[in-house]
Amino acid sequence: ITQPMIEIEIAGPGKNALGSELMRSLLDQIRAAEGAPLLLRGAGDAFSAGLNLKEVVSLDQQEMETFLRLLVELTTTLFEYPGPTVALVDGHAIAGGCILALCCDYKVGADNPKARIGLNEVGLGLRFPPRLLKLLRYVVPRLEPVILHAGLYGPEKALALGLLDEVCEDAEERAKAYLGALAKHPAEAYAVAKRDLRAGATDVDEADEQAFIAEVVPTWTSDELRARINKLLGR
């Protein structure tokens, strides 16, 4: 029996920027879907333009650790979701927004020349939490140029870099059709195969966790980073 598809919409100010409240809401919705076929999309003309930088610059070190752990929990929960997941990327998918799309089993991009897709964290001076970087190593075939160039690309270039699986004119129709096809597989077999394929893909050891707290979190609350982000925000 094919389960009905569930749509989860990334919706918030700043082109669906990922703040704590939105991330918690998305996490709750993903868990509540309980393995049903999942279509992830953005509200309006963007998928998600990334993390809420206004919130990022306001956090102290303890708050930042909580914020980044929430981001890692959201992305890994989506990545490990037992049912089929398809991302409908019909606008900007930048940094954290791009990562959310990459956590889905299949990524359909709209043929929208204005859309910008990529991981530009290095350009902002940001370091990835270890679990997140490990996840990205699994899902992006040639990750080095994507991260080190910190570029934002149109859909066709994003496709060539492995950030999308296909680009088409009627992306919504295609995304739903592809999700429907995945949903026809026996649910248990799909869930088990996905779990077996991804076993260990986000595991980190205690040393990585300690490095995250001691080295990564402080870089996110540094004066240099705050100054860079405030300049970007026009403050």
Side-chain angles (χ1 to χ4, degrees):
I1 300 166
T2 304
Q3 291 176 281
M5 181 187 78
I6 290 176
E7 278 193 32
I8 292 181
E9 187 176 70
I10 308 165
K15 301 285 184 188
N16 311 323
L18 299 167
S20 298
E21 192 178 334
L22 177 53
M23 289 197 285
R24 277 193 286 267
S25 169
L26 292 170
L27 192 53
D28 289 345
Q29 290 177 71
I30 292 164
R31 287 179 173 148
E34 295 186 326
L38 213 58
L39 182 77
L40 186 65
R41 66 186 305 166
D45 62 355
F47 184 78
S48 169
L51 297 182
N52 184 333
L53 296 178
K54 289 178 182 176
E55 182 175 354
V56 167
V57 294
S58 75
L59 303 175
D60 64 26
Q61 193 147 322
Q62 191 59 55
E63 292 165 338
M64 184 62 75
E65 186 181 334
T66 302
F67 180 87
L68 291 175
R69 287 195 188 282
L70 177 59
L71 172 65
V72 171
E73 188 179 6
L74 171 61
T75 50
T76 52
T77 299
L78 180 58
F79 178 70
E80 292 166 0
Y81 183 79
T85 56
V86 172
L88 168 57
V89 183
D90 55 2
H92 299 319
I94 297 168
C98 183
I99 292 170
L100 268 192
L102 287 167
C103 290
C104 292
D105 303 345
Y106 200 75
K107 301 155 284 291
V108 180
D111 187 12
N112 173 3
K114 291 182 181 177
R116 285 295 168 263
I117 299 160
L119 302 175
N120 65 338
E121 281 84 350
V122 165
L124 292 174
L126 298 172
R127 280 184 64 178
F128 292 89
R131 283 187 75 191
L132 208 50
L133 188 58
K134 196 162 182 203
L135 186 158
L136 289 170
R137 280 201 183 105
Y138 178 90
V139 296
V140 182
R142 289 178 61 242
L143 187 59
E144 276 207 7
V146 171
I147 285 184
L148 296 181
H149 298 174
L152 298 177
Y153 307 101
E156 290 296 340
K157 179 67 173 174
L159 175 65
L161 288 166
L163 301 176
L164 295 172
D165 292 305
E166 68 172 288
V167 175
C168 55
E169 282 186 21
D170 198 341
E172 181 173 353
E173 186 180 316
R174 176 63 182 142
K176 289 178 177 177
Y178 201 94
L179 184 59
L182 292 181
K184 287 177 182 173
H185 300 315
E188 181 63 21
Y190 191 93
V192 169
K194 188 170 170 178
R195 186 191 68 206
D196 290 348
L197 282 165
R198 299 181 180 186
T202 63
D203 291 351
V204 297
D205 58 27
E206 184 59 30
D208 288 330
E209 272 299 308
Q210 292 306 315
F212 167 66
I213 295 165
E215 298 170 22
V216 178
V217 174
T219 67
W220 281 72
T221 55
S222 70
D223 291 341
E224 293 91 337
L225 180 69
R226 285 200 174 120
R228 205 176 290 122
I229 291 175
N230 280 324
K231 187 177 178 184
L232 187 70
L233 294 171
R235 290 176 169 181

